[in-house]
Amino acid sequence: MTTSGELPFDVESVRRDFPILARRLSNGAPLAYLDTAASSQKPRVVIDKVVECYEQYNANVHRGFHEFTDRMTTELENARATVQRFIGAKEVDEIVFTSGTTMSLNTVAHGWARKFLKPGDEVLVNPMEHHANLVPWQLAAKATGAVLKYIPLTDDGRLDLSHLDQLLTARTKMVAVTAMSNVLGTINPISELAQRAHDVGALICVDGAQSVPHGSTNVRALNIDFLAFSGHKLYGPTGIGVLWARKELLESMDPLLTGGNMVNEVFEQTSTWKPAPAKFEAGTIPFVEAVALGTAIDYVGMLGVDRISAYEHELSAYAHKKIGEIPSVRVLGPKVEYKGAILSFVVDEINPDDVHSHDLSAFYERKGVAVRVGHHCTMPLHRLLGLTSSTRASLAFYNTKGEVDCLAEAIMDSKNVFGAEAKRRRSDARKARAGKTEQPDVAPPTRGTS
Ligand code: C6P
């Protein structure tokens, strides 16, 4: 396995830690995996840890008294302590294991917002939020009579804080914001927002799904109140995520899920809860995944979070230059210095009304590049941009400049193929309108995004 050592970052050596990166597609070609924002690949140590758990000490946690359950429980609680150190939390009991960012944010919107919001209270969101940090707040607002307000975006896709004084008032009770947009790549000024929220007595809930895997996060230095992130984007397994909140907040909140393991006492009509984190971990949690998330965090720590960020930033700058120079490619979001390693774009001559996003995705895949095409669970943002979909390349520390070059070539090819097709359709339509009944030989695709 790679060891941290000194700069420069040895990407080829790091790639050898990820077995899947050596795989070939069924056509024998390599795949440039540029879709880490959707889910990251897993290093061998994480895969091995999952196997070790199942082969050597698999048993449910916090239940029973035998060697396997003791060992698994110890591994789980060690992983919790690893998460605590990784994000700079004050206490290990502030780390709640959930199924992912979505569940973490729903836990806050359900357990905090529905309990404490009153009619007329305000939750401040913004159009770049992923649906996971928008829809739960919509439902909480509907249930309580609170209102969602939006921080506008600047033309280049950053939060426009110029009217924040008007937006943040005594009625604001929560600012829900992503630390990094999964489409624009924008990195938001979280500690400034935390300060401004606290100044009016509001709390701040940070969606760290995209930021936590790619840069250092310290919840106390940021002075935030809630943080949500997913294991599968952090080189760990699927099905595991984290909700962090200050202890007093966790104590004040209601649980989202109830059932086994989270209760203190159960009577015929009522029950009492254990303290956090157990209060929010009803039923059998994905304990093997949690243990392996600890391993993933150790792996990231061993590479060095700051070295990872520096390498990804350099790669992202290369990608922005290379892709940004392709004629008629419009890169979404601000300048690269305000962004994480995400590059979303549209190609002007490929009209999404003409080309189904799945066809475009499949085209890139045939060219050996895995990207995501669609609205990326950010419909309000795409509507604001006047788009129904975009193509997104998301980079990680195991990606290379060569892979970015493959993407650039695939974009050039896509312009030729889909651009020509769109031109032909337009010409066919013109001819049909002019009474010449030549029919297009390609059936018009249905419009679609994912
Ligand atoms: N974004 C993407 O391709 P889950 O699915 O719970 O692990 O994460 C939800 C989520 C929340 N916030 C942000 C900023 C996200 O990017 C995501 C997941 C993936 O962009 C899947 S839609």
Side-chain angles (χ1 to χ4, degrees):
M1 190 173 66
T2 327
T3 51
S4 164
E6 291 302 307
L7 287 168
F9 192 80
D10 184 353
V11 64
E12 287 309 326
S13 159
V14 167
R15 284 175 71 82
R16 286 194 287 277
D17 293 340
F18 290 77
I20 203 169
L21 298 180
R23 273 208 65 214
R24 292 282 182 267
L25 296 174
S26 42
N27 63 7
L31 178 69
Y33 186 78
L34 305 181
D35 201 17
T36 292
S39 200
S40 66
Q41 298 302 352
K42 320 300 171 200
R44 166 65 68 201
V45 280
V46 168
I47 300 164
D48 286 351
K49 191 69 187 180
V50 172
V51 173
E52 177 191 301
C53 286
Y54 286 127
E55 283 188 351
Q56 294 190 31
Y57 40 87
N58 181 46
N60 209 335
V61 289
H62 295 301
R63 292 157 170 86
F65 296 92
H66 53 76
E67 194 175 315
F68 289 179
T69 185
D70 280 355
R71 171 73 188 271
M72 191 63 95
T73 303
T74 303
E75 294 274 346
L76 175 72
E77 294 311 318
N78 286 345
R80 201 186 299 277
T82 301
V83 175
Q84 178 204 358
R85 285 191 299 275
F86 185 61
I87 61 168
K90 190 169 169 209
E91 294 189 33
V92 73
D93 289 349
E94 296 176 336
I95 307 300
V96 176
F97 284 121
T98 65
S99 65
T101 306
T102 301
M103 183 175 165
S104 299
L105 293 169
N106 272 276
T107 301
V108 183
H110 181 93
W112 181 87
R114 288 184 188 227
K115 186 167 179 189
F116 294 115
L117 288 181
K118 303 264 178 313
D121 283 347
E122 292 173 1
V123 175
L124 202 51
V125 291
N126 70 82
M128 75 170 79
E129 295 305 316
H130 186 280
H131 296 162
N133 202 25
L134 217 44
V135 182
W137 299 109
Q138 291 175 346
L139 293 191
K142 198 167 172 202
T144 58
V147 186
L148 294 196
K149 289 219 160 170
Y150 280 75
I151 304 175
L153 302 189
T154 59
D155 288 345
D156 68 345
R158 288 184 288 154
L159 293 177
D160 181 354
L161 301 183
S162 56
H163 301 293
L164 198 58
D165 281 339
Q166 286 83 56
L167 285 166
L168 273 173
T169 70
R171 284 193 299 276
T172 316
K173 294 293 178 282
M174 176 66 84
V175 176
V177 62
T178 186
M180 176 175 156
S181 158
N182 67 321
V183 176
L184 304 171
T186 313
I187 293 176
N188 287 321
I190 296 301
S191 51
E192 180 186 348
L193 287 166
Q195 183 61 52
R196 302 281 293 270
H198 292 159
D199 286 347
V200 296
L203 300 178
I204 182 164
C205 175
V206 176
D207 176 349
Q210 297 297 344
S211 63
V212 170
H214 301 286
S216 67
T217 303
N218 185 304
V219 291
R220 276 185 290 171
L222 289 169
N223 195 18
I224 58 178
D225 301 296
F226 299 96
L227 176 73
F229 59 97
S230 299
H232 70 100
K233 296 186 201 286
L234 181 48
Y235 315 100
T238 51
I240 187 72
V242 171
L243 168 65
W244 166 84
R246 285 187 290 109
K247 192 156 182 206
E248 61 274 22
L249 288 171
L250 290 175
E251 292 306 341
S252 72
M253 285 164 59
D254 285 338
L256 172 64
L257 298 178
T258 54
N261 201 45
M262 51 79 68
V263 283
N264 199 11
E265 283 191 286
V266 178
F267 305 97
E268 288 191 359
Q269 304 293 334
T270 56
S271 303
T272 58
W273 319 137
K274 281 185 185 157
K279 176 174 150 186
F280 299 97
E281 295 181 352
T284 296
I285 65 164
F287 51 85
V288 171
E289 288 77 1
V291 169
L293 172 60
T295 307
I297 291 174
D298 283 340
Y299 174 78
V300 165
M302 188 253 327
L303 291 182
V305 180
D306 292 338
R307 289 175 73 230
I308 286 173
S309 302
Y311 176 79
E312 290 180 351
H313 188 76
E314 187 197 319
L315 188 62
S316 181
Y318 177 80
H320 277 74
K321 184 161 186 327
K322 180 112 196 175
I323 310 296
E325 279 171 354
I326 300 175
S328 74
V329 168
R330 199 151 37 98
V331 176
L332 308 179
K335 284 193 201 143
V336 71
E337 53 264 39
Y338 299 114
K339 297 174 79 163
I342 279 181
L343 188 151
S344 299
F345 60 93
V346 286
V347 181
D348 281 336
E349 62 249 52
I350 304 178
N351 181 348
D353 288 342
D354 291 334
V355 182
H356 194 294
S357 59
H358 295 177
D359 293 340
L360 201 50
S361 252
F363 176 85
Y364 282 116
E365 210 257 352
R366 280 199 303 279
K367 296 283 163 190
V369 182
V371 288
R372 187 169 171 198
V373 185
H375 57 60
H376 318 300
C377 302
T378 58
M379 289 174 97
L381 175 66
H382 276 76
R383 211 171 285 122
L384 184 72
L385 297 171
L387 301 170
T388 50
S389 77
S390 58
T391 302
R392 181 188 69 190
S394 51
L395 308 172
F397 57 75
Y398 43 61
N399 290 126
T400 64
K401 289 184 178 166
E403 290 179 317
V404 170
D405 294 343
C406 289
L407 172 63
E409 274 171 39
I411 295 171
M412 297 295 288
D413 290 349
S414 74
K415 275 161 51 109
N416 293 336
V417 172
F418 292 107
E421 194 174 305
K423 220 185 224 171
R424 195 178 63 238
R425 269 205 202 98
R426 279 194 296 274
S427 150
D428 287 340
R430 262 197 312 274
K431 283 181 198 158
R433 273 200 305 275
K436 298 179 189 153
T437 49
E438 246 179 87
Q439 290 301 310
D441 53 2
V442 183
T446 49
R447 183 174 172 164
T449 56
S450 61

